[in-house]
Amino acid sequence: MRRATALLALALAAGCGGTAAQTTAPSPEAQGVEQRKEAEMATCMKQKGFKYVAYVSPPKQLSDQRKKAFSGDYESMRAERAKYGFGHFALYVYPKEFPNPMVKPDNPDIDPNWAIQSSLSEEQRKAYQSARDACYLAAVKKITGKEVKSVEDHFEQAEKTKIQTHARLLDTDPALVEKAEAMADCLKGKGYRVGRTNPSAIARRGTDEVREQVVQIGKTDDIDDSKLARGQFFEPSLTAEQARPHLTKEIKVALDDLECGKDFYAAYLPKEQEIDRRVYTEFGIEGTP
């Protein structure tokens, strides 16, 4: 079964300086907020007459290489990009390493509440989901003070705040602005189209360019997307063999991007990661949506 994807959701998932598979490593503070939120959910659901297990997924374990890549370490970033590019087509070539949500992992993380809900009748499932949604909003409000309308709205608010904070703190940093402009000049010299040259935009330029190729494949293949909601499309159904030529091209783009941005990423990524962790903790989210 193919996955219908909102363009916004995929934009949130795509990494800026690293790969699309990477996420901000969750801080202990964010994990603590998540545990409190789940405890509130369990209490709320019990009050509504439903069983609910307070469950927090085990934190993602990042390799030392990926952790260093997050910090802007050149050698680590080069090793990551030489294999995965920005991570878009590698999702199909290395589906279990990323992981690809359409491929069953070897050791799946199973939320016990899925089994609880699936054991109910159709009418009961609807009531359960309605109660769960209401409890989620109440738990977010109590733990973080944030007024959200839905799970999607919660993540969208966090992403909007993150982007605004990047613009306020990173795009006005004189040292980062200078390094971003130097990176832009280098990319132009290699024949790449460069639009905005502010730090947060130049950090996304390469990964956004490749992501747009995936979007176009998904929107122009032989699967009808017309009945989906506006802004949604079916993700491409690519085999590893079909995706590999695209990945080869993506790797070249990613490595050129890194060579031009070697100094920029070393200065930008640590600051970006700190902002992201702070925002996700504020919203009670463990990592990138």
Side-chain angles (χ1 to χ4, degrees):
M1 184 175 185
R2 302 185 69 197
R3 192 168 46 121
T5 303
L7 293 177
L8 174 62
L10 262 293
L12 306 188
C16 292
T19 69
Q22 293 177 338
T23 60
T24 300
S27 67
E29 293 80 8
Q31 289 178 284
V33 171
E34 183 69 14
Q35 290 167 349
R36 290 167 55 202
K37 187 171 66 180
E38 281 294 299
E40 288 293 331
M41 285 278 293
T43 299
C44 178
M45 290 292 281
K46 184 177 181 180
Q47 291 172 345
K48 292 180 180 293
F50 293 102
K51 180 181 179 181
Y52 183 88
V53 179
Y55 179 75
V56 178
S57 299
K60 295 180 176 65
Q61 298 300 317
L62 303 179
S63 67
D64 288 341
Q65 176 175 285
R66 187 153 292 183
K67 288 177 183 177
K68 289 180 180 179
F70 269 130
S71 71
D73 177 75
Y74 170 76
E75 294 298 338
S76 298
M77 290 185 71
R78 182 171 178 78
E80 289 281 302
R81 293 189 177 199
K83 182 176 181 180
Y84 303 120
F86 293 109
H88 297 294
F89 286 104
L91 185 74
Y92 302 94
V93 178
Y94 306 105
K96 290 188 178 181
E97 291 184 37
F98 269 64
N100 185 326
M102 293 185 288
V103 176
K104 184 177 179 180
D106 292 330
N107 298 298
D109 175 28
I110 301 176
D111 184 338
N113 297 296
W114 296 343
I116 294 172
Q117 188 167 353
S118 64
S119 68
L120 304 175
S121 67
E122 182 176 354
E123 184 175 345
Q124 289 173 325
R125 279 198 298 272
K126 290 180 180 179
Y128 184 96
Q129 187 60 52
S130 178
R132 182 170 180 167
D133 290 345
C135 286
Y136 182 91
L137 305 188
V140 171
K141 171 65 175 176
K142 183 171 183 178
I143 300 301
T144 70
K146 305 294 183 183
E147 293 276 3
V148 300
K149 300 176 183 179
S150 64
V151 175
E152 291 78 11
D153 181 53
H154 184 200
F155 286 115
E156 288 175 9
Q157 284 192 35
E159 181 67 11
K160 182 178 180 180
T161 299
K162 186 184 76 172
I163 291 172
Q164 291 173 339
T165 308
H166 286 176
R168 179 167 54 85
L169 299 181
L170 301 178
D171 289 345
T172 59
D173 184 316
L176 292 180
V177 169
E178 181 179 354
K179 292 179 186 300
E181 290 176 348
M183 178 178 172
D185 289 341
C186 176
L187 287 167
K188 290 175 185 177
K190 289 181 179 290
Y192 290 97
R193 290 182 295 104
V194 178
R196 293 179 298 150
T197 61
N198 52 296
S200 62
I202 204 69
R204 293 193 307 270
R205 190 212 65 84
T207 190
D208 285 354
E209 177 183 297
V210 177
R211 176 59 196 164
E212 181 58 29
Q213 296 172 21
V214 179
V215 171
Q216 289 306 311
I217 293 173
K219 294 172 72 173
T220 58
D221 58 17
D222 58 356
I223 302 300
D224 183 12
D225 304 301
S226 63
K227 295 182 180 180
L228 296 177
R230 184 178 180 180
Q232 289 191 327
F233 66 98
F234 283 113
E235 284 287 294
S237 181
L238 299 174
T239 65
E241 291 72 22
Q242 290 171 329
R244 197 173 295 278
H246 294 289
L247 176 58
T248 299
K249 295 177 182 178
E250 178 181 349
I251 287 171
K252 183 183 185 307
V253 174
L255 290 176
D256 283 347
D257 178 89
L258 177 59
E259 290 305 316
C260 286
K262 178 179 179 180
D263 293 337
F264 168 73
Y265 285 124
Y268 179 87
L269 288 181
K271 294 181 179 181
E272 180 196 57
Q273 289 293 303
E274 179 54 36
I275 288 171
D276 293 355
R277 276 191 286 267
R278 191 164 70 242
V279 170
Y280 296 144
T281 298
E282 175 188 343
F283 278 84
I285 296 172
E286 285 192 62
T288 302

